[in-house]
Amino acid sequence: MILSLAPMEGLTGYMFRNVHAECFGPLDRYYTPFLAPPHVGSGFGKKAFKEIDPKNNQGLNVVPQLLTRNADEFVWAAQVLAELGYTEVNLNLGCPSGTVVAKGRGSGFLRNPGELEAFLQDVCERSPIAVSVKTRLGLVEDREYRQILDLYCRLPLAELIVHPRVQKDRYQGTPRQEAYGETLRRAPFAVAYNGDVFSVDEYNALCAAYPQTRHVMLGRGLLANPALARMVRGGAPATAAELKRFHDKLFSAYLDEMGGNAVFRMKEWWFYAKFAFADPLAVHRAVRKVRCVDEYEHAVAGVFSGEAFASVPVFRA
Ligand SMILES: Cc1cc2nc3c(=O)[nH]c(=O)nc-3n(C[C@H](O)[C@H](O)[C@H](O)COP(=O)(O)O)c2cc1C
C-alpha cells in the first residue's frame, strides 16, 4: 500500500515533510502544495523553488503539484522539474477556492471538459515526465463526474487521485466513495483515494469496501494524528513526548525560516493538532490569541504541561 501526504497549502510544505519524516518515519510519497509554474524560459519563484529544491527534500519521494491551465507553462515547468530529477508532476484539479475557480484553474478547470481534455492530451504528449492528476468530481453535482471520468480514461495519466467531493462542498459533507470505486473499475491507470481518512478504522473500512485500493492519501487526519500512517501500518499511537518533540522541531524549523511569522504558521497547525488532546477546545482557546513568540511559547508550554492527551487523536471537522 502506498501512503502519501496530501498537498496542503501553508501546512504540508518541505519543512513539515522533513520534520514529520524525522519524527514519525517517512511516508511513501509526498505531494507539494500547489505551485504556480514559472513563465516559459524562467525559473520557479523563490518560495516555490524551496518546495522543490532537491536539497530540501533529501531522502523523500516528492511529487510537485502545479496549479495552471496554461499548457506551455505546465510543460516548461515539467522540463525544469525533470532537470531537478523529478519523475512525475501532478496537476491540481481540486482546489475549491473562489479566486482560483474564477480563473478556470483547480476545480474550476472541470467546468470545461473539452478544454481540459485538450490540455491534458497536449501536456501528456509533451511533458518529459509522467503526469498525474488530483481531482474532484465536478463543481456542483456528482453526475458531472461521468463525463470527466470518461475523458480521464482516454488519457495516458500516470495516476488519478480522487477526492470525491464537488467544488461546492469545499471540505464539508461526506466524500462519495462510490465515485472512487467507479474510477477503480474503469480507469486504465493507477488510482488513489483521498478524503476523510482520519482513523485506522476509516482506513480499514475503505480498504474493505474497495480491496483493489493501492494508494491512500492522508491529509487532515495525519495533521491531527501525526502517527496515523504508522498506526495504519500496525504501529503505536504517538506518545505525548513524541508529539512534543515533533512540535518543537517544527516550530524551530519555521522560526529559522520565517522568524516571528512562525507563530502564525504554527497556529494553522494547531487547528488540526489540537485533536491530539482530550479537550481540543481548551487547546484552541490557549493558542488562538497569541501574536508573538514569547506568548506562543508560554501558551504551548501550558498546553503540554496542563492538557490531557487524547488516547487516539482523530480529526473532526
Ligand atoms: C488548508 C488546506 C490546504 C490545501 N491545499 C491543497 C493544495 O495545495 N493542493 C491540493 O491538491 N489540495 C489541497 N488541499 C486539499 C487536500 O490535499 C485534501 O484533498 C483534503 O484535505 C481532503 O483530504 P483529507 O480529508 O484527508 O484532509 C488543501 C486542503 C486544506 C484544508
Side-chain angles (χ1 to χ4, degrees):
M1 182 67 72
I2 297 166
L3 292 177
S4 68
L5 180 62
M8 295 178 78
E9 167 67 11
L11 290 159
T12 61
Y14 73 93
M15 280 173 279
F16 184 92
R17 293 197 277 284
N18 280 285
V19 174
H20 183 270
E22 184 187 339
C23 295
F24 292 96
L27 274 80
D28 301 302
R29 202 180 290 169
Y30 298 84
Y31 292 80
T32 70
F34 66 75
L35 308 171
H39 295 303
V40 174
S42 44
F44 278 91
K46 201 167 151 199
K47 182 170 165 244
F49 186 74
K50 283 187 178 167
E51 275 302 318
I52 52 169
D53 187 344
K55 284 208 298 283
N56 292 338
N57 293 294
Q58 283 173 29
L60 304 180
N61 179 15
V62 174
V63 177
Q65 184 190 66
L66 300 177
L67 180 77
T68 185
R69 58 186 288 192
N70 181 318
D72 290 337
E73 288 185 354
F74 185 100
V75 172
W76 169 253
Q79 279 161 6
V80 174
L81 293 169
E83 277 163 29
L84 292 170
Y86 290 98
T87 56
E88 180 181 333
V89 57
N90 182 264
L91 176 69
N92 178 323
L93 293 178
C95 182
S97 140
T99 45
V100 168
V101 170
K103 291 179 187 152
R105 300 185 197 141
S107 61
F109 213 162
L110 303 174
R111 187 180 285 135
N112 298 307
E115 192 192 321
L116 176 60
E117 183 164 3
F119 171 96
L120 283 170
Q121 230 160 23
D122 184 19
V123 301
C124 285
E125 228 170 82
R126 290 196 287 145
S127 169
I129 54 178
V131 176
S132 62
V133 164
K134 179 166 179 276
T135 193
R136 287 191 182 235
L137 304 181
L139 281 131
V140 180
E141 290 179 320
D142 293 3
R143 60 180 179 176
E144 294 166 43
Y145 191 56
R146 192 172 302 165
Q147 190 184 2
I148 292 166
L149 178 58
D150 280 351
L151 84 81
Y152 290 148
C153 287
R154 291 191 287 269
L155 293 160
L157 301 179
E159 186 169 43
L160 180 64
I161 303 158
V162 184
H163 176 205
R165 287 188 166 99
V166 292
Q167 184 269 340
K168 197 183 68 170
D169 295 325
R170 304 275 172 153
Y171 298 101
Q172 311 290 312
T174 308
R176 274 73 78 188
Q177 292 190 351
E178 324 76 69
Y180 162 68
E182 175 68 8
T183 313
L184 274 177
R185 270 190 299 281
R186 291 201 37 211
F189 38 69
V191 175
Y193 177 80
N194 166 245
D196 290 27
V197 176
F198 300 147
S199 67
V200 175
D201 284 350
E202 283 162 346
Y203 171 86
N204 286 338
L206 174 79
C207 296
Y210 302 100
Q212 312 93 308
T213 296
R214 54 172 286 287
H215 174 182
V216 178
M217 173 184 272
L218 303 171
R220 294 166 295 172
L222 186 129
L223 288 171
N225 174 9
L228 182 58
R230 181 171 83 190
M231 291 171 69
V232 158
R233 298 204 190 284
T239 62
E242 276 183 312
L243 188 71
K244 173 83 169 55
R245 176 169 175 262
F246 177 54
H247 166 277
D248 291 353
K249 282 179 176 286
L250 190 60
F251 184 43
S252 157
Y254 285 146
L255 268 179
D256 285 351
E257 177 66 24
M258 57 187 79
N261 283 336
V263 167
F264 301 99
R265 192 51 76 91
M266 290 305 290
K267 282 168 72 172
E268 290 189 40
W269 176 75
W270 277 107
F271 179 78
Y272 302 93
K274 65 181 182 243
F275 293 98
F277 294 84
D279 186 352
L281 192 58
V283 175
H284 169 74
R285 288 197 183 114
V287 297
R288 84 179 149 176
K289 285 200 179 136
V290 300
R291 287 276 172 270
C292 64
V293 172
D294 285 354
E295 281 173 14
Y296 178 81
E297 286 176 334
H298 181 74
V300 166
V303 167
F304 277 109
S305 61
E307 293 297 327
F309 206 53
S311 53
V312 178
V314 178
F315 175 79
R316 285 293 159 234

